[in-house]
Amino acid sequence: MAIYLNDVSRTFGEYLLIPGLTTKQCIPANVSLCTPLVKFRGDERQSAIHLNIPVVSAIMQSVSGPELAIELARNGGISFIFGSQTIENQVEMVKKVKKFKAGFVISDSNLTPNHTLGDVLNLVESTGHSTIGVTDDGTSNGKLLGIVASRDYRLEKDPAERLVKDFMTPFSELIVGKLGITLKEANQLIWENKLNSLPIIDDEQRLQYFVFRKDYDSHKENPYELSGTDKKLLVGAGINTRDYKERVPALVEAGADVLCIDSSDGYSEWQYETLKWIKETYGDNVPVGAGNVVDEEGFVYLADAGADFIKVGIGGGSICITREQKGIGRGQATALIDVARARDNYHRKKDIYIPICSDGGLVHDYHMVLALAMGADFLMMGRYFARFDESPTKKLKIGNSFVKEYWGEGSNRAKNWQRYDTGGMEGLKFEEGVDSYVPYAGKMKDNLDVTLGKIKATMCSCGSITIQDLQRFSKITLVSSTSIVEGGAHDVILKE
């Protein structure tokens, strides 16, 4: 006879937050959404990585490409580049994020003086970089002879065969920085001389780096930007339990800051072996998350295997049909409450705090605050991000509405059978995800700012200005179906 659990499997929509005392300190400007991403001992400040906002994007083809990863990191969160692709393609996506912004950038757009304008245009098209270093051998560390920028040529007048040496800005006219200069000093030179870029050279005039004005501006426009000590944006990557011995080293070399095993069901020996191999190979130098689980047993199993964070949720995603197809899963709110309790017990027993990520079931913005109050350290979302310009899918017009494509990793379109691996060599036998559309919502930053504003306002109403205080002091109540109706507009005639 099966083991029966007495609790009801509940969703976020069945709960409301009870207001707490809103003190004079409880204003949105004072709210901190900083939260640990990976496990730590003792004080939470010991966590190797902190998010500036409690939001990460899902490990999905239709969500987490490099463009969204860049934009989310600039706003304080992190993306996990999807792993349901070749290792080479995933590595290139990670590199694109890491190259986007850095205080000192190694130039990967270089030519010699004997190249042509046609070569310049081809390089600009392939890399997207408008500043090209001209070196004696065309490499990133050759002797710097000049720079080519868009201001140096006119497409409508200059022939494609014109040589670079005839229109580049020569070294004699360049303002440069010497190797050893600080980033602050480099930015000061840029501002004093009204430059867009500053080449950094060594004593032999060999090109070492570029420092760009736009990177400084970007940081000022995005004060919550998530970057490392090298000023490069942070980015995560998804892995599976099949080719991890080849994929993980490639992603680590590419610069991925954190990994996460992408699986619909994390309570498995395959995840245990994957975690053990990564920890034995890299120790704590490569943080890796695991999941998904929905109860205490699953959490403890992955915690003992070495997981740095653990994802919670099975079947709650808007495009997931695992519950329909296989009859497994748990209401997201109930699963989160149970796993958060297990996380806290584990912390008391072993003095190791392992952050948990709520994955799925978030329909409204206030659900995010509920999930955090119930114990989630951060939230993973797919549908939310799929709506934006920065997601990798097509924007289409259907009827009078604009939409974006959104499909599950368990759909035939994704062909991500590794995520639903049950051993053996068989592929995906039936779908656990659908192919769909979501309403187009425009730029990510505009929408995210509204969402974060709601989260902060709700936290203030609960008397909390940190996520940790929200978890300690918030009060939550179950609601009836009648009170849910009462919570929306009712008994009025809405204006069209």
Side-chain angles (χ1 to χ4, degrees):
M1 181 177 176
I3 298 171
Y4 288 87
L5 303 184
N6 291 323
D7 60 336
V8 178
S9 188
R10 298 189 182 279
T11 65
F12 294 125
E14 297 178 77
Y15 293 92
L16 285 175
L17 290 152
I18 301 294
L21 174 64
T22 303
T23 67
K24 292 180 180 179
Q25 290 296 313
C26 293
I27 60 174
N30 289 338
V31 173
S32 169
L33 296 179
C34 186
T35 189
L37 177 67
V38 297
K39 68 183 179 185
F40 57 89
R41 288 183 180 271
D43 190 277
E44 68 183 50
R45 288 173 295 183
Q46 301 303 313
S47 179
I49 304 176
H50 280 83
L51 300 172
N52 291 326
I53 61 173
V55 172
V56 304
S57 67
I59 311 170
M60 302 175 69
Q61 294 175 7
S62 54
V63 178
S64 293
E67 288 77 17
L68 190 130
I70 289 168
E71 191 62 17
L72 184 53
R74 294 175 73 195
N75 284 275
I78 198 169
S79 290
F80 288 86
I81 302 294
F82 65 93
S84 51
Q85 58 180 323
T86 66
I87 296 173
E88 293 75 19
N89 286 347
Q90 190 182 22
V91 161
E92 285 306 309
M93 289 187 179
V94 169
K95 287 182 177 179
K96 186 172 182 179
V97 180
K98 300 305 291 185
K99 289 179 181 178
F100 173 77
K101 180 188 181 301
F104 294 97
V105 181
I106 296 175
S107 178
D108 60 0
S109 295
N110 306 283
L111 294 172
T112 70
N114 292 320
H115 279 93
T116 65
L117 176 57
D119 296 320
V120 170
L121 299 179
N122 289 335
L123 191 57
V124 170
E125 184 177 0
S126 63
T127 65
H129 302 154
S130 59
T131 300
I132 296 171
V134 183
T135 60
D136 60 344
D137 57 4
T139 68
S140 59
N141 290 120
K143 184 176 181 179
L144 183 64
L145 302 178
I147 287 179
V148 169
S150 57
R151 66 175 182 270
D152 293 318
Y153 53 85
R154 299 176 64 182
L155 294 178
E156 66 275 14
K157 289 192 174 183
D158 292 332
E161 59 273 14
R162 189 180 182 193
L163 296 179
V164 166
K165 63 183 179 183
D166 294 331
F167 61 89
M168 70 179 186
T169 301
F171 181 82
S172 59
E173 297 179 16
L174 293 178
I175 295 173
V176 299
K178 285 296 184 72
L179 189 62
I181 190 175
T182 67
L183 185 59
K184 184 176 181 179
E185 291 168 340
N187 281 319
Q188 189 61 34
L189 273 177
I190 287 174
W191 281 96
E192 288 175 352
N193 295 281
K194 299 181 180 180
L195 306 174
N196 288 323
S197 64
L198 178 74
I200 308 298
I201 61 171
D202 63 14
D203 292 336
E204 297 178 351
Q205 200 177 312
R206 293 191 174 278
L207 179 61
Q208 301 296 314
Y209 305 103
F210 274 105
V211 177
F212 293 98
R213 172 190 288 266
K214 66 179 178 64
D215 289 347
Y216 178 86
D217 294 339
S218 172
H219 181 69
K220 291 300 180 183
E221 293 168 4
N222 298 279
Y224 298 115
E225 183 179 272
L226 194 66
S227 56
T229 54
D230 59 1
K231 305 301 182 182
K232 294 181 180 180
L233 298 179
L234 299 193
V235 62
I239 61 174
N240 62 64
T241 58
R242 286 278 177 160
D243 64 5
Y244 59 91
K245 291 183 180 179
E246 295 77 40
R247 190 175 293 269
V248 170
L251 291 171
V252 171
E253 185 178 353
D257 299 283
V258 59
L259 306 175
C260 184
I261 303 172
D262 182 26
S263 174
S264 65
D265 178 8
Y267 192 13
S268 75
E269 290 184 346
W270 292 289
Q271 284 218 16
Y272 193 96
E273 291 175 357
T274 303
L275 287 168
K276 283 295 186 183
W277 182 86
I278 293 173
K279 291 304 174 183
E280 289 170 359
T281 305
Y282 295 99
D284 292 329
N285 294 322
V286 177
V288 56
N292 288 21
V293 299
V294 293
D295 64 4
E296 180 178 10
E297 290 183 12
F299 172 87
V300 172
Y301 185 79
L302 295 178
D304 287 344
D308 289 283
F309 67 85
I310 294 174
K311 291 204 296 154
V312 180
I314 293 178
S318 60
I319 41 67
C320 183
I321 55 174
T322 293
R323 296 180 194 175
E324 290 181 11
Q325 295 284 56
K326 295 167 66 175
I328 66 168
R330 199 176 193 186
Q332 186 65 11
T334 302
L336 185 56
I337 292 168
D338 194 8
V339 175
R341 188 181 299 115
R343 185 266 321 277
D344 292 343
N345 289 337
Y346 197 91
H347 182 210
R348 281 191 290 270
K349 291 178 181 177
K350 302 196 176 186
D351 192 33
I352 300 175
Y353 186 94
I354 302 175
I356 58 175
C357 168
S358 181
D359 179 15
L362 299 169
V363 179
H364 303 292
D365 287 349
Y366 82 88
H367 288 174
M368 300 180 195
V369 188
L370 275 166
L372 295 170
M374 289 173 177
D377 295 280
F378 57 97
L379 318 168
M380 178 172 279
M381 297 185 290
R383 179 192 59 85
Y384 180 87
F385 289 110
R387 305 172 299 145
F388 303 144
D389 286 325
E390 294 83 1
S391 75
T393 61
K394 295 178 181 178
K395 174 184 170 185
L396 306 171
K397 188 174 185 180
I398 297 181
N400 293 320
S401 301
F402 285 100
V403 298
K404 293 206 76 177
E405 295 179 296
Y406 179 47
W407 60 90
E409 290 295 294
S411 66
N412 278 326
R413 180 172 184 174
K415 295 182 175 63
N416 186 11
W417 67 270
Q418 294 95 335
R419 189 173 198 274
Y420 302 85
D421 190 8
T422 55
M425 299 306 296
E426 293 183 352
L428 193 67
K429 289 296 185 182
F430 55 89
E431 290 186 288
E432 293 188 45
V434 299
D435 198 346
S436 64
Y437 301 109
V438 289
Y440 168 68
K443 293 186 179 298
M444 191 202 78
K445 184 175 177 60
D446 295 339
N447 290 271
L448 186 60
D449 284 347
V450 173
T451 295
L452 296 178
K454 290 181 184 178
I455 291 174
K456 291 180 178 181
T458 304
M459 288 175 62
C460 288
S461 294
C462 293
S464 300
I465 58 173
T466 68
I467 293 173
Q468 294 72 32
D469 284 347
L470 180 72
Q471 292 169 346
R472 292 189 191 102
F473 306 123
S474 61
K475 295 175 288 185
I476 299 173
T477 182
L478 273 168
V479 295
S480 68
S481 58
T482 304
S483 66
I484 292 174
V485 174
E486 180 187 57
H490 60 90
D491 300 318
V492 295
I493 300 172
L494 294 177
K495 294 181 179 180
E496 294 183 0

